[in-house]
């Protein structure tokens, strides 16, 4: 996301990022840990937040950005109010996870990795959530749904309003 | 329950005294309701059941006489939510919140069984009362995973009550570091994280290494998709990992440990954190453990969603806060590892085995298993199998027994095709080789590997070329990009496989997959690349006919590859129930309805418009009468 796009998103309060980074610096935590906690706070890593973290941790911005793009659990875009993760792990794959993801992409009108324009839904595919026995698995804001098929996707989406 | 009712323990006798007092207290409890809170049961809604029990026991005024214990995974995920009622050991499966009042009235108050919640053994069709009688458990040997049922992971007393930390006390009070390493070596314990390296030998190298401080690390990254064994140990029995690490640290000469946990496992992070805190409060971690003069503490680091970070050098880089790319290992991490210091990394399950070996002796351990593979192995048995779940079996058991005796075979009368073992580094084993025992060397000989313990069962509806493409796609995305053979090789192999799945493959493509696969195996920097071709090479070896069908006949025999299949409705079988019409996301199905009333009523069979059809399988899944055919 370019910086113009970012500034169109509302002004972000950066005090929390500054505080989290300072606390971790005192404890000698790693940069990955700082970014994780900062992402938990803001839901994603904006350019402004990354700049604050880099400054506080006394590393170049490129280093923070490098980590944020190498590790897939970091997001540079805001996530939706409902963040939907679809497991594409092997156990879920052999039970038809690709159809579940395809249906969600069609129904929400976005691809995995994207957020709807109204910031209501975001969709991502992940590699195994460790609940393989009940696959295909879909997790929405931390709540697991097991044995998901096209019909269950309808039910789940209906419940989100 | 997360309160520790004791002061810091300053000696070995204190630990024994605390244990005795906990055990005496426990003997007074009449009834315990054990509720599984593992990942499978969670997906099936166990949280509601747990809440219902809490409320109902309160309402009935039973909260004093009945103990409620929420535990980690019991293993039989397929039948979750699971409830076990002690002391009788009554085993209820598929429990819902609505069942709870009746369980309390009938079973808890009047000792009556609720017939509908009992498990029916598949072979004998008989209902059984206790877990011991359930066929799924009968062939297992649960030395690592069995304790989960005894333990509320937030309650260190539960772990102490079943003998927890007695191995640590024994090691610190009676054994010299060298003697511990000797016993671990003698036991034959090998790494459960994939490679199968002898644990005792690794410890010895790290002990001998020059340089201070030394670190002991636990690999809880569990990147293998389809595997959740380590998750259930970290979530369900976190102290067993801490105790193992503490013993290892004492043997190696380390005072600081790290556990690297997969980001997708927040509950594992939470439970390990609670466990570490409780162990510190009791003086089982920290300075001067049990008055022995030995100091050891543990930190937790979370992964951030990169498969390659399960590899030892990448994992260490990630803990240091860097990008997780691996380095060449001419110099072992036991000499130069985390922060450039000697480091010993073991898998979660490897660590959990350590207290058992110290307590029960190396001879006991090495009596289990085959000549070179000792002890038990925990597997996650998933995919197209009746009894999905977590199973722990002695090494040497044949795959057929795991799949058919424990797993109960393939659902819906379908035929077994293959079992995938070893994850993205492993291979697919066909029916003809199912009598192969679980043994590191024998699995490697088949072009697969033990791996960390994912067993994914595939049936006639699974396309083996699609599976090869699936793994190659996974590895191509997860390749860190540092070395060319892996970065470029996986990409080219993926392109070829995609072409084959789309019906555009040529016979030369198959040859190229083989030669390229061998190149990537030989020339890659780390284990990700050197094992990346395995899923392709093993499917080419055992399922060549499926590749040939895609390449020569432009046909996908399993009916999976979209470009090569079409769906149609068999009019004679169609009952015009309209389920498929409703299921179709693109309105490609017409008919499928009933017209008129009473005797005049006629059925109009469904018809699929091939131009509109996107081959999403929704109609195939929706049809209850097998009227939708794939060709
Ligand atoms: C790409 C790659 C991913 C790996 N992922 C894991 C993992 O998720 N968990 C694990 O325990 N070992 C994993 N390993 C193996 C580790 O590098 C290492 O061998 C192991 O943790 C050592 O512990 P052990 O001897 O107890 O098995 C992986 C190896 C490679 C090459
Ligand atoms: S493969 Fe989907 S949860 Fe493991």
């Amino acid at each position: 996301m370019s910086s113009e796009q970012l500034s169109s998103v509302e002004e972000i309060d950066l005090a929390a990022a500054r505080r989290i980074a300072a606390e971790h610096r005192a404890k000698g935590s790693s940069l990955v840990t700082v970014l994780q906690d900062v992402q938990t706070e803001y839901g994603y890593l904006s350019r402004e937040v990354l700049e604050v973290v880099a400054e506080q941790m006394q590393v170049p911005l490129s280093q923070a950005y490098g980590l944020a793009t190498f590790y897939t659990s970091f997001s540079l875009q805001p996530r939706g109010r409902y963040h939907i993760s679809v497991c594409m792990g092997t156990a879920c794959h052999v039970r038809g996870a690709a159809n579940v993801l395809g249906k969600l992409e069609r129904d929400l009108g976005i691809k995995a990795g994207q957020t709807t324009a109204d910031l209501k839904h975001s969709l991502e595919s992940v590699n195994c959530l460790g609940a393989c026995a009940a696959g295909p698995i879909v997790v929405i804001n931390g709540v697991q749904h097991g044995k998901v098929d096209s019909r269950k996707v309808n039910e789940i989406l209906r419940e989100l309003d | 329950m997360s309160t520790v009712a004791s002061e810091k323990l300053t000696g070995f006798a204190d630990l024994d005294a605390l244990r005795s007092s906990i055990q005496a207290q426990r003997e007074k409890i009449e009834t315990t309701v054990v509720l599984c809170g593992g990942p499978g049961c969670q997906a099936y809604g166990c949280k509601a059941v747990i809440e219902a029990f809490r409320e109902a026991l309160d309402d009935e005024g039973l909260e004093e006489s009945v103990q409620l214990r929420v535990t980690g995974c019991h293993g039989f995920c397929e039948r979750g939510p699971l409830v076990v009622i002690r002391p009788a050991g009554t085993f209820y499966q598929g429990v819902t919140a609505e069942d709870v009042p009746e369980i309390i009235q009938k079973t808890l108050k009047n000792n009556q069984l609720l017939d509908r919640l009992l498990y029916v053994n598949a072979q004998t069709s008989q209902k059984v009362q206790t877990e011991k009688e359930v066929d799924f458990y009968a062939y297992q040997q649960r030395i690592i995973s069995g304790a989960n049922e005894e333990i509320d992971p937030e309650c260190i007393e539960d772990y102490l009550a079943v003998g927890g930390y007695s191995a640590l006390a024994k090691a610190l009070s009676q054994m010299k570091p060298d003697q511990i390493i000797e016993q671990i070596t003698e036991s034959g314990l090998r790494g459960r994280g994939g490679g199968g390296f002898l644990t005792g030998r690794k410890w010895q190298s790290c002990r001998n290494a020059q340089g201070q401080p030394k670190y002991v690390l636990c690999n809880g990254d569990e990147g293998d998709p389809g595997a959740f064994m380590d998750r259930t140990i970290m979530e369900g029995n976190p102290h067993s990992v801490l105790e193992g690490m503490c013993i290892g640290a004492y043997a190696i000469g380390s005072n600081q440990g790290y556990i690297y946990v997969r980001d997708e496992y927040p509950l594992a992070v939470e439970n390990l954190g609670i466990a570490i805190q409780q162990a510190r409060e009791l003086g089982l971690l920290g300075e001067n453990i049990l008055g022995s003069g030995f100091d050891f503490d543990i930190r937790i680091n979370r992964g951030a969603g990169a498969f390659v970070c399960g590899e030892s050098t990448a994992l260490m880089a990630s803990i240091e806060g860097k990008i997780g790319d691996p380095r060449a290992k001419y110099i072992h991490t036991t000499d130069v590892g985390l922060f450039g210091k000697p480091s010993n990394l073991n898998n979660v399950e490897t660590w959990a085995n350590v207290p058992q070996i110290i307590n029960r002796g190396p001879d006991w351990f090495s009596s289990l298993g085959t000549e070179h593979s000792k002890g038990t192995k925990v597997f996650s048995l998933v995919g197209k199998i009746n009894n999905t779940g977590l199973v722990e079996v002695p090494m040497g058991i044949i795959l057929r027994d795991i799949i058919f005796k424990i797993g109960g075979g393939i659902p819906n009368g379908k035929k077994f095709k293959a079992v995938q073992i070893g994850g993205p580094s492993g291979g697919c084993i066909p029916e003809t080789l199912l009598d192969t025992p679980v043994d590191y060397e024998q699995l490697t000989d088949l072009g697969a590997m033990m791996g960390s313990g994912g067993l994914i069962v595939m049936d006639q509806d699974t396309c083996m070329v699609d599976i090869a493409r699936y793994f190659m796609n996974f590895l191509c995305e997860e390749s860190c990009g540092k070395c060319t053979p892996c970065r470029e090789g996986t990409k080219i192999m993926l392109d070829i496989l995609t072409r084959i799945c789309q019906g555009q493959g040529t016979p030369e493509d198959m040859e190229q997959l083989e030669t390229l696969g061998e190149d990537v195996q030989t020339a890659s920097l780390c284990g990700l690349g050197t094992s990346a071709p395995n899923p392709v090479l093993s499917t080419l070896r055992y399922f060549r006919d499926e590749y040939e069908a895609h390449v020569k006949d432009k046909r996908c025999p399993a009916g999976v590859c979209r470009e090569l299949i079409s769906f149609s409705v068999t009019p004679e079988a169609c009952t015009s129930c309209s389920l498929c019409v409703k299921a179709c996301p693109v309105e490609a199905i017409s008919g499928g309805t009933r017209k008129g009333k009473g005797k005049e009523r006629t059925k109009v069979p469904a018809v699929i418009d091939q131009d509109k059809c996107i081959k999403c399988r929704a109609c195939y899944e929706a049809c209850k009468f097998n009227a939708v055919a794939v060709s």
Side-chain angles (χ1 to χ4, degrees):
Chain A
M1 206 181 249
S2 70
S3 50
E4 296 99 82
Q5 271 174 299
L6 271 174
S7 48
S8 69
V9 180
E10 327 162 8
E11 277 297 301
I12 306 166
D13 180 6
L14 297 168
R18 222 166 265 132
R19 173 180 50 78
I20 293 169
E23 275 169 20
H24 276 300
R25 208 175 141 220
K27 277 196 283 184
S29 310
S30 81
L31 191 51
V32 176
T33 310
V34 180
L35 291 176
Q36 282 169 330
D37 283 2
V38 169
Q39 170 154 309
T40 308
E41 174 76 25
Y42 292 93
Y44 74 109
L45 300 173
S46 66
R47 187 187 169 103
E48 290 87 336
V49 162
L50 281 177
E51 277 169 356
V52 166
V53 169
E55 187 193 305
Q56 292 288 320
M57 298 298 287
Q58 295 175 352
V59 297
L61 177 61
S62 60
Q63 197 173 327
Y65 184 74
L67 292 177
T69 49
F70 178 85
Y71 290 105
T72 53
S73 63
F74 293 124
S75 171
L76 299 177
Q77 290 175 39
R79 288 184 171 166
R81 262 192 296 130
Y82 296 109
H83 183 64
I84 307 174
S85 312
V86 184
C87 177
M88 297 302 264
T90 325
C92 293
H93 175 79
V94 303
R95 287 190 177 180
N99 299 326
V100 174
L101 181 63
K103 166 130 179 97
L104 278 162
E105 288 184 335
R106 280 193 306 276
D107 288 1
L108 299 175
I110 48 172
K111 293 269 168 227
Q114 297 180 334
T115 305
T116 54
D118 61 359
L119 292 185
K120 181 166 177 200
H121 301 107
S122 48
L123 188 63
E124 72 170 346
S125 69
V126 294
N127 294 322
C128 191
L129 292 154
C132 327
I137 297 283
V138 170
V139 174
I140 303 180
N141 292 355
V143 180
Q144 272 184 12
H145 302 266
K147 291 208 171 154
V148 179
D149 56 12
S150 306
R151 214 170 322 155
K152 204 152 171 196
V153 168
N154 288 335
E155 278 170 37
I156 295 172
L157 288 183
R158 226 176 293 133
E159 277 169 26
L160 291 190
D161 292 281
Chain B
M1 262 195 286
S2 57
T3 46
V4 177
S6 166
E7 311 250 297
K8 202 163 186 155
L9 307 169
T10 50
F12 302 109
D14 290 357
L15 177 64
D16 292 338
L18 174 61
R19 192 190 319 281
S20 306
S21 82
I22 294 170
Q23 283 167 342
Q25 216 177 20
R26 295 289 154 104
E27 269 165 26
K28 291 189 208 131
I29 297 169
E30 279 167 37
T31 311
T32 306
V33 177
V34 187
L35 301 169
C36 177
C41 285
Q42 273 181 33
Y44 292 139
C46 70
K47 288 217 166 113
V49 178
I50 295 168
E51 268 323 297
F53 262 110
R54 283 219 173 98
E55 278 172 26
L57 290 179
D58 264 357
D59 293 349
E60 300 276 337
L62 290 173
E63 72 273 17
E64 295 290 313
S65 59
V66 178
Q67 192 204 5
L68 204 58
R69 185 192 299 146
V70 181
T71 70
C73 179
H74 294 191
F76 202 0
C77 313
E78 182 68 32
R79 295 307 178 112
L82 303 178
V83 175
V84 179
I85 297 162
R86 308 269 182 89
T90 304
F91 174 77
Y92 287 151
Q93 40 105 46
V95 179
T96 62
E98 288 75 54
D99 294 322
V100 171
E102 213 180 336
I103 296 179
I104 292 180
Q105 290 311 326
K106 296 219 167 118
T107 311
L108 291 188
K109 289 191 171 167
N110 292 306
N111 274 327
Q112 288 170 0
L113 293 180
L114 284 183
D115 227 36
R116 67 169 190 280
L117 297 177
L118 292 176
Y119 177 73
V120 183
N121 264 342
Q123 269 148 18
T124 56
S125 303
Q126 297 231 301
K127 283 202 169 142
V128 294
Q129 185 192 346
T130 63
E131 203 178 65
K132 276 199 293 280
E133 303 161 88
V134 171
D135 44 14
F136 175 79
Y137 292 110
Y139 300 92
Q140 299 192 40
Q141 199 160 356
R142 302 198 300 149
I143 61 174
I144 301 296
S145 54
N148 272 14
E149 278 171 46
E150 315 300 326
I151 294 169
D152 170 349
E154 296 182 15
C155 173
I156 193 170
E157 284 100 330
D158 280 356
Y159 186 64
L160 293 173
V162 295
Y165 289 104
S166 58
L168 175 66
K170 180 176 173 187
L172 292 179
S173 64
Q174 301 168 26
M175 297 170 82
K176 295 234 156 22
D178 283 329
Q179 212 180 342
I180 296 173
I181 294 181
E182 220 166 86
Q183 293 212 349
I184 297 296
T185 309
E186 246 173 66
S187 75
L189 175 65
R190 296 171 66 173
R192 301 300 195 233
F197 196 79
L198 259 179
T199 306
R201 197 178 303 156
K202 196 191 282 184
W203 290 16
Q204 188 69 60
S205 309
C206 195
R207 178 166 178 79
N208 294 347
Q210 300 292 319
Q212 284 293 341
K214 293 179 179 173
Y215 297 110
V216 294
L217 316 178
C218 172
N219 192 340
D221 196 45
E222 195 152 64
D224 184 354
F228 60 100
M229 310 74 50
D230 295 346
R231 170 178 181 175
T232 60
I233 298 172
M234 291 186 285
E235 280 181 11
N237 194 356
H239 286 287
S240 66
V241 181
L242 307 187
E243 187 179 2
M245 287 179 75
C246 198
I247 295 169
Y250 170 67
I252 289 163
S254 159
N255 306 112
Q256 183 63 50
Y258 285 85
I259 307 180
Y260 188 84
V261 187
R262 182 180 174 75
D263 190 46
E264 285 80 357
Y265 295 172
L267 187 60
V269 173
E270 191 180 322
N271 287 357
L272 282 166
I274 294 172
I276 290 173
Q277 194 48 40
Q278 292 184 347
R280 278 185 195 141
E281 283 166 23
L282 279 187
L284 295 162
L285 279 180
E287 283 174 15
N288 194 14
I289 293 172
L290 292 174
S292 65
F294 172 63
D295 308 336
F296 181 64
D297 211 337
I298 298 177
R299 285 175 85 147
I300 301 174
N301 276 70
R302 282 188 292 147
F307 173 68
V308 73
C309 287
E311 195 276 343
S312 52
T313 57
L315 181 143
M316 292 174 197
S318 183
I319 293 181
E320 292 171 10
K322 300 181 188 143
I323 283 171
D325 58 8
R327 65 160 173 85
K329 285 193 276 192
Y330 309 113
I331 301 169
H332 294 298
T333 49
T334 44
D335 287 311
V336 179
L338 183 64
F339 303 118
K341 300 296 178 189
S343 305
N344 179 91
L345 173 71
N346 281 118
N347 163 268
V348 170
E349 190 184 333
T350 315
W351 285 122
N353 269 291
V354 169
Q356 301 284 337
I357 296 170
I358 295 299
N359 266 336
R360 294 156 93 164
D363 293 341
W364 161 79
F365 191 80
S366 61
S367 71
L368 303 166
T370 64
E371 195 186 345
H372 296 296
S373 305
K374 302 296 189 189
T376 61
K377 179 77 197 85
V378 187
F379 287 104
S380 70
L381 186 59
V382 292
K384 305 285 191 70
I385 182 111
N386 275 318
N387 301 337
T388 56
L390 192 76
V391 305
E392 182 176 349
V393 288
M395 296 276 193
I397 188 173
I398 58 172
L399 293 168
R400 191 181 302 280
D401 286 350
I402 301 182
I403 291 163
F404 290 94
K405 288 190 177 158
I406 299 174
I410 316 301
N412 308 323
K414 299 266 167 103
K415 260 184 68 188
F416 171 89
K417 186 184 274 182
V419 57
Q420 211 281 343
I421 180 167
S425 315
C428 293
I429 295 173
E431 157 87 43
T432 47
L433 294 172
L434 276 188
D435 293 318
T436 308
V438 170
D439 174 281
Y440 288 96
E441 278 70 30
Q442 296 203 44
L443 289 169
T444 308
D445 288 347
L446 297 184
M449 68 184 266
M450 178 81 76
S452 59
L455 275 182
I456 295 137
V457 181
M458 301 169 184
D459 69 0
Q460 63 193 68
D461 290 341
T462 316
C463 169
M464 301 314 286
V465 188
D466 173 69
I467 288 296
R469 188 197 54 78
Y470 166 83
F471 278 116
M472 200 43 76
N473 182 49
F474 176 89
L475 290 158
C476 184
E477 278 180 11
E478 295 295 338
S479 168
C480 76
K482 182 168 177 172
C483 78
T484 317
C486 173
R487 182 183 65 238
E488 303 298 326
T490 53
K491 176 80 178 76
I492 299 170
M493 290 178 83
L494 174 62
D495 288 346
I496 297 175
L497 287 163
T498 308
R499 234 178 15 241
I500 297 179
C501 287
Q502 290 172 342
Q504 290 158 11
T506 61
E508 294 76 55
D509 278 341
M510 286 161 63
E511 277 163 39
Q512 210 195 338
L513 278 178
E514 274 165 339
T515 40
L516 200 55
E518 280 160 26
D519 293 345
V520 174
Q521 270 178 342
T522 351
S524 293
L525 176 69
C526 88
L528 191 152
T530 56
S531 62
N534 288 358
V536 181
L537 297 178
S538 77
T539 46
L540 269 169
R541 181 163 159 193
Y542 300 119
F543 301 95
R544 207 175 183 89
D545 52 330
E546 283 197 40
Y547 280 83
E548 281 169 354
H550 284 73
V551 169
K552 295 191 182 137
D553 313 335
K554 310 296 174 203
R555 196 169 58 81
C556 174
V560 172
C561 296
R562 285 188 187 189
E563 277 81 358
L564 303 179
I565 54 170
S566 66
F567 291 86
S568 59
V569 179
T570 318
E572 299 77 43
C574 179
T575 64
S576 306
C577 69
S578 81
L579 277 178
C580 61
V581 181
K582 287 183 195 136
C584 180
V586 292
E587 295 176 6
I589 307 181
S590 55
T593 49
R594 292 163 196 173
K595 278 201 177 136
K597 288 216 167 97
K599 281 205 179 122
E600 308 283 282
R601 197 174 161 112
T602 52
K603 292 177 187 170
V604 186
V607 179
I608 301 175
D609 181 341
Q610 297 301 329
D611 291 335
K612 285 191 190 160
C613 176
I614 55 166
K615 294 164 188 171
C616 70
R617 297 181 92 84
C619 54
Y620 180 79
E621 280 171 25
C623 183
K624 296 205 167 100
F625 308 97
N626 284 329
V628 180
V630 194
S631 61

